[in-house]
Amino acid sequence: MFMEMFFALVAILGMGVFYAVLVYYLVRLISKKAFKLTLTKVEAIEILVWLAIVFFGVVMLIKQNWNLFLPIVLLLVPMINLRRSNRKYREMENHE
């Protein structure tokens, strides 16, 4: 029984990694083709995290699972601060 659960866990984690890598490259491809904007790795990962936060937030609202909704809302604060600091860093880089 332990090995079956272990294989199921590895399969689920592998599927999660596969979809995360797929979305990472799709975000970079869409930004390059549609918006003529080349994203850095950090910006692409940031977009990936924002998409995950929005997805889990919507799922938690639909299922009305408030135990997991609060950490998602609290995770928004550092993400907004990260976005602001990245914007300031990019503006400083462009002025040089």
Side-chain angles (χ1 to χ4, degrees), residues 1 10 16 18 20 22 26 28 33-35 39-40 46 55 66 68 76-77 81 84 86 90 92:
M1 176 152 169
V10 170
F18 172 74
L22 182 69
L26 279 176
R28 291 189 76 176
K33 297 292 182 182
F35 303 112
L39 294 176
T40 63
E46 183 183 356
F55 173 75
W66 309 116
L68 290 177
L76 288 175
V77 174
N81 290 337
R84 286 182 184 160
N86 283 346
R90 193 168 43 247
M92 287 173 42

Side-chain angles (χ1 to χ4, degrees), residues 2-90:
F2 173 74
M3 288 302 287
E4 293 167 352
M5 290 180 67
F6 177 72
F7 288 140
L9 177 66
V10 170
I12 290 170
L13 290 175
M15 187 174 61
V17 168
F18 172 74
Y19 285 125
V21 170
L22 182 69
V23 169
Y24 170 78
Y25 284 110
L26 279 176
V27 164
R28 291 189 76 176
L29 179 71
I30 290 170
S31 71
K32 186 180 277 187
K33 297 292 182 182
F35 303 112
K36 307 288 190 260
L37 178 68
T38 303
L39 294 176
T40 63
K41 290 178 183 180
V42 174
E43 290 170 334
I45 292 172
E46 183 183 356
I47 291 172
L48 192 100
V49 171
W50 275 108
L51 289 173
I53 288 173
V54 168
F55 173 75
F56 282 115
V58 168
V59 168
M60 294 306 123
L61 279 175
I62 290 172
K63 296 200 179 268
Q64 295 183 353
N65 188 349
W66 309 116
N67 294 332
L68 290 177
F69 186 70
L70 183 63
I72 291 171
V73 171
L74 294 177
L75 188 59
L76 288 175
V77 174
M79 286 300 294
I80 291 170
N81 290 337
L82 176 68
R83 185 78 208 133
R84 286 182 184 160
S85 64
N86 283 346
R87 187 179 305 139
K88 287 179 186 177
Y89 179 75
R90 193 168 43 247

